[in-house]
Amino acid sequence: MPVLIVLSGVVVRYAYAVAAHVPLKTADMTGVAVKSLPWAFLVSSIRFSCLSLTNNKELVTKVYFPKEIFPLGAVLASLFDFMVASGALIIFLFFVHSGWSFYLIWIPFLMLILVMLAAGIGMAVAAAGLYFRDVKFVVEVFLTFGIFFTPVFYDAAMFGDKGKWLLLNPLSPILDAFVACVSRHQAPDLRWLAYSASFAALLLIGGYVFFKHLEQGFAESV
């Protein structure tokens, strides 16, 4: 799935260039490819986390252990897929001669923020999905249309000053930071990155507290 999203992003950016009658730059292709991978990871993490408790009803009701293992395990499984897909992305970047820079040292920190964001959302939707069966449908709707409100296939800078509103989406600065480090070979915007890191930390704590608050009623809600 991550590789397909990357390919879809490149195709969409190429179609945009053709429709706008502008040459497609290598930086545009690499930017979309780089942003598509973290987006695919987040979508996969949330989707699998949402179903992680309902798909393991027997263990949830009969075995006592930290139930947050299920959504966190879903995030780690998606992270493994991300690492595999990263290999394909590296090959793509090599063939388009994207190059590399010292700013790649930011990547582990960006991944940490992304994992925190995915884990926080994952625990919240997993717990809510066990109490309210319609949550999984709501989550699917948000994941389907969320890409239109997140600068994955386009850049927030395309909208001028109004593009800053898109950066209020905590995922947007993370995606921009990935592009800055990998494609543009420059440091990320620390102000927006600090915003995303703070939001992810609060969401991780809030998701965990929400999960533990509802955990005592999991057995009755299955």
Side-chain angles (χ1 to χ4, degrees):
M1 178 180 173
V3 176
L4 291 177
I5 292 182
V6 170
L7 292 176
S8 299
V10 173
V11 171
V12 169
R13 197 54 184 259
Y14 174 76
Y16 170 80
V18 172
H21 302 288
V22 296
L24 181 63
K25 300 178 181 179
T26 300
D28 293 333
M29 288 194 301
T30 57
V32 172
V34 169
K35 289 189 291 185
S36 297
L37 210 54
W39 168 259
F41 162 74
L42 185 66
V43 168
S44 177
S45 297
I46 297 174
R47 179 175 288 126
F48 291 134
S49 294
C50 186
L51 301 175
S52 61
L53 293 178
T54 55
N55 288 344
N56 294 278
K57 297 179 181 179
E58 295 78 9
L59 295 177
V60 171
T61 56
K62 296 182 180 179
V63 182
Y64 177 77
F65 61 91
K67 304 299 189 301
E68 58 268 24
I69 288 179
F70 292 114
L72 294 180
V75 173
L76 291 179
S78 298
L79 182 61
F80 177 78
D81 291 340
F82 175 90
M83 299 302 294
V84 173
S86 295
L89 178 61
I90 292 173
I91 294 174
F92 171 76
L93 295 176
F94 174 78
F95 275 103
V96 298
H97 304 289
S98 177
W100 62 279
S101 69
F102 179 74
Y103 295 108
L104 291 176
I105 62 174
W106 281 94
I107 298 301
F109 179 65
L110 298 179
M111 282 305 306
L112 176 61
I113 300 175
L114 190 62
V115 169
M116 289 169 56
L117 192 64
I121 298 175
M123 286 188 288
V125 297
L130 198 60
Y131 279 83
F132 308 102
R133 304 304 183 187
D134 291 338
V135 167
K136 60 182 179 181
F137 301 112
V138 176
V139 168
E140 282 297 327
V141 171
F142 273 97
L143 294 180
T144 300
F145 292 98
I147 197 168
F148 298 108
F149 303 98
T150 307
V152 180
F153 295 162
Y154 58 88
D155 296 323
M158 295 171 59
F159 299 92
D161 292 337
K162 294 181 179 179
K164 293 181 179 180
W165 291 102
L166 292 171
L167 295 178
L168 293 177
N169 177 345
L171 180 60
S172 300
I174 302 175
L175 298 182
D176 280 353
F178 270 106
V179 174
C181 298
V182 177
S183 181
R184 300 178 192 147
H185 309 302
Q186 62 188 37
D189 189 321
L190 297 183
R191 292 174 301 173
W192 282 109
L193 193 58
Y195 162 74
S196 293
S198 301
F199 194 99
L202 291 175
L203 191 58
L204 178 63
I205 296 172
Y208 178 77
V209 171
F210 179 74
F211 187 94
K212 300 303 287 186
H213 178 70
L214 296 182
E215 184 179 13
Q216 56 186 352
F218 281 177
E220 292 77 13
S221 300
V222 170

